[in-house]
Amino acid sequence: MTASAEKYTTQTLLDVQPLTPNLFTLRTSRDPGFRFRAGQFARLGVTKADGSTVWRAYSMVSSPFDEFLEFFSIVVPGGEFTSELSRLQVGDTLMVERQAFGYLTLDRFVDGRDLWLLSTGTGVAPFLSILQDFEVWEKFERIILVYSVREARELAYQQLIAGLTQRDYLSEYAHKLQFIPTVTREAHPGALQGRITTLIENGELERAAGVELSPEHSRVMLCGNPQMIDDTRALLKQRGMRLSLTRKPGQVAVENYW
């Protein structure tokens, strides 16, 4: 992928925080003209040692109103992009395309009572952006954030999630949010154990949430590894839940940019 100077801006890395040997967060400056809706992604570019540029899509963790951009990344062993990205330090630069992309936004749904945000790994990123935007708290009666990882140490942004309902503009809506972490490879206090699909099939996820996944009331956003998305969509389809399209509103919205 190539991009001319007119298509991107050069931004400065403000902060890098390693979470595990394979996960890290990074924060960059934000061009004043860069606009996005909560849930969208940007294409980031890094320059390799040979002078060539590699581009990849990353959802914003930050809200549309923050003065910075924040992203959540995994280091793919031998990965052309993430290997370069993980070597960057504060003060280094990377490129951000001027246009944001993606359809994992609240306008995918025209109605609904309960919003389910189902994520694996770094797929939690767009949901964190959505949860920092006031619109979602007004639109839905219940918001269930499900965050699945392999090991408990991979549960990122716990402080941000816990602090959401302490924010002045969200405090009166605190009762709407339910956070359900799930860990697949070990038992962890306060978390369910198992894959999202398994927890849907055996009913454990709905029991933990105290609310049913139904076509009438539920609207579901999926972001994470492609297998989870495919398998979960199949399970939801069995319940009469379909992908929401511009001309044909449904109950499911998906982001998959692997």
Side-chain angles (χ1 to χ4, degrees), residues 20-227:
T20 71
N22 296 317
L23 291 170
F24 63 99
T25 68
L26 66 156
R27 183 175 291 191
T28 74
S29 56
R30 175 177 175 176
D31 185 83
F34 183 75
R35 298 284 183 268
F36 69 94
R37 287 183 59 81
Q40 287 190 307
F41 63 87
R43 298 191 193 278
L44 307 184
V46 293
T47 303
K48 299 170 62 177
D50 63 5
S52 62
T53 302
V54 189
W55 294 86
R56 292 291 185 274
Y58 276 80
S59 291
M60 273 68 74
V61 172
S62 45
S63 91
F65 308 103
D66 287 327
E67 295 182 353
F68 56 85
L69 297 176
E70 184 155 325
F71 305 95
F72 185 25
S73 182
I74 187 171
V75 180
V76 180
E80 184 181 29
F81 184 85
T82 60
S83 297
E84 297 291 339
L85 190 66
S86 62
R87 280 197 283 268
L88 296 180
Q89 300 178 346
V90 172
D92 289 340
T93 60
L94 51 74
M95 289 159 279
V96 180
E97 277 202 2
R98 293 183 183 274
Q99 182 179 348
F101 302 90
Y103 300 103
L104 200 67
T105 54
L106 292 179
D107 55 6
R108 300 305 292 170
F109 302 128
V110 297
D111 59 7
R113 185 191 69 191
D114 309 321
L115 179 65
W116 293 76
L117 306 173
L118 307 184
S119 62
T120 58
T122 55
V124 75
F127 300 152
L128 297 176
S129 182
I130 287 170
L131 288 170
Q132 293 179 82
D133 190 355
F134 186 66
E135 182 184 0
V136 70
W137 301 84
E138 278 195 314
K139 189 168 184 175
F140 292 93
E141 292 182 24
R142 295 189 187 92
I143 305 165
I144 303 106
L145 172 63
V146 181
Y147 182 11
S148 178
V149 296
R150 293 170 300 179
E151 300 173 357
R153 64 175 182 166
E154 298 173 341
L155 286 167
Y157 289 104
Q158 295 302 287
Q159 191 171 352
L160 186 156
I161 294 168
L164 279 170
T165 54
Q166 304 303 313
R167 299 186 183 194
D168 290 341
Y169 67 102
L170 297 180
S171 57
E172 66 179 290
Y173 299 91
H175 63 282
K176 292 190 174 188
L177 178 64
Q178 184 163 13
F179 173 48
I180 304 177
T182 83
V183 182
T184 61
R185 294 188 179 178
E186 61 185 0
H188 181 65
L192 299 182
Q193 186 172 7
R195 298 178 184 273
I196 287 175
T197 47
T198 303
L199 297 172
I200 291 174
E201 286 179 301
N202 65 20
E204 196 172 345
L205 188 62
E206 288 159 287
R207 284 193 293 274
V211 61
E212 182 185 3
L213 268 166
S214 71
E216 182 183 2
H217 296 302
S218 303
R219 300 298 174 263
V220 185
M221 288 184 164
L222 306 173
C223 190
N225 72 70
Q227 194 65 57

